[in-house]
Amino acid sequence: MTALTTPPPAGIRDRRAARTLASRVLGYAVLIFFGLVFLYPFVIQLGNSLKTEPGAAANPLSPLPDPLSTAGFERIFAGTNFPLWLGNSLLVTVLVTLGRVFFDSLAGYALARLRFRGRAGLFAAVIAVMAVPGVVLLIPKFLVLNQLGIYNSYAGLIVPLLADAAGVFIMKQFFESIPVSVEEAARIDGAGVFRTYWSVVLPMARPALITLTILSFQGSWNEFPHSLVSVQDPDLFTLPRGLADLVSGSLGKGTQYPLKLGAALLATIPVAVLFVIFQRYFVRGGNEGTEKG
């Protein structure tokens, strides 16, 4: 026999509903507060980029431009090498992103599926590389690039970034969540290892590939330390290196807030647009990569 439960009185239900509503309102208020705190610097950046030079210097924390001016953006394209930096960043970012998606997925599949001597040690080395601060490798990276003869060239900007340990780890974790039976069916049909990887497994890893694409694009687009040790020619500067040159005062005296913040705003837009478009795939890929099927 099942015991009959008496519903709580109306007053208790009302108090519970009130507490639930209050906690929900408080939770949303906290989220909105921290959201505004996070967005405020971007609002300041946009507002100052549309101010005049004296207006930005007089009140840099005000988000409202008074008067409104686009002189900063005009100077960006007419008085700096911003178009050149933008072209270099696009070239480097596209090639590095394509290289990382291919090589990281290939290495991740090998570590997830192939059985060979030293596999566990190799994966441990990949994890160890993720723990090494990037700044520690700057001087060795410069020495290697100089020894190979690709210092101060596009090859020096691109080749060292074509693979990264974090991407290999993400792809390995995702490939391990795919049932092995799918690959066995392909091998019965006569597909080799690479054909199975390319035609069967890789299309199933679209969420992880999109996640890796976003991370690779963002990382290579914002990469500054590597460009600092790999190139010296101003014609090879990418956006982060060029913006650092602007901030250091290469255009002369004065704060030049509209120019600097306008250039930083333009450099932020491509990554922000990419993330907004593919954010649902990014979250899905991060979740599926931690599950085992």
Side-chain angles (χ1 to χ4, degrees), residues 126-155:
V126 172
I127 300 298
V129 169
M130 294 174 59
V132 177
V135 67
V136 176
L137 303 176
L138 291 182
I139 295 179
K141 187 181 294 185
F142 165 76
L143 296 176
V144 171
L145 292 176
N146 195 36
Q147 190 68 24
L148 294 177
I150 58 175
Y151 174 73
N152 208 30
S153 66
Y154 284 109

Side-chain angles (χ1 to χ4, degrees), residues 39-229:
L39 289 175
Y40 189 68
F42 296 98
V43 176
I44 293 296
Q45 183 183 52
L46 176 61
N48 278 281
S49 64
L50 294 173
K51 292 179 182 179
T52 61
E53 179 70 27
N59 196 3
L61 295 182
S62 173
L64 301 177
D66 185 24
L68 184 69
S69 174
T70 60
F73 289 101
E74 294 173 3
R75 286 193 61 197
I76 290 172
F77 290 97
T80 69
N81 287 328
F82 187 88
L84 176 63
W85 303 336
L86 179 62
N88 289 337
S89 283
L90 286 174
L91 175 64
V92 172
T93 300
V94 169
L95 294 180
V96 168
T97 301
L98 292 176
R100 284 187 178 181
V101 169
F102 177 70
F103 291 116
D104 289 355
S105 63
L106 198 64
Y109 180 75
L111 289 173
R113 288 292 190 260
L114 302 185
R115 298 295 181 262
F116 54 89
R117 182 176 299 177
R119 172 174 168 268
L122 184 59
F123 181 63
V126 172
I127 300 298
V129 169
M130 294 174 59
V132 177
V135 67
V136 176
L137 303 176
L138 291 182
I139 295 179
K141 187 181 294 185
F142 165 76
L143 296 176
V144 171
L145 292 176
N146 195 36
Q147 190 68 24
L148 294 177
I150 58 175
Y151 174 73
N152 208 30
S153 66
Y154 284 109
L157 277 172
I158 296 170
V159 173
L161 301 178
L162 288 178
D164 70 320
V168 175
F169 177 79
I170 291 173
M171 296 307 301
K172 176 185 180 297
Q173 295 300 105
F174 190 91
F175 285 139
E176 287 183 343
S177 69
I178 298 176
V180 181
S181 58
V182 177
E183 301 167 62
E184 292 176 347
R187 293 193 181 95
I188 292 175
D189 292 337
V193 175
F194 184 82
R195 181 63 181 273
T196 302
Y197 150 80
W198 184 260
S199 301
V200 178
V201 180
L202 202 59
M204 299 176 64
R206 186 175 66 170
L209 290 175
I210 293 177
T211 300
L212 180 59
T213 299
I214 295 174
L215 293 177
S216 300
F217 187 94
Q218 182 183 31
S220 54
W221 183 267
N222 297 326
E223 181 64 48
F224 173 70
H226 175 70
S227 65
L228 194 64
V229 300

Side-chain angles (χ1 to χ4, degrees), residues 173-174 177 204 207-208 283-292:
Q173 295 300 105
F174 190 91
S177 69
M204 299 176 64
V283 175
R284 185 188 308 171
N287 291 336
E288 294 186 14
T290 59
E291 297 175 359
K292 298 298 177 78

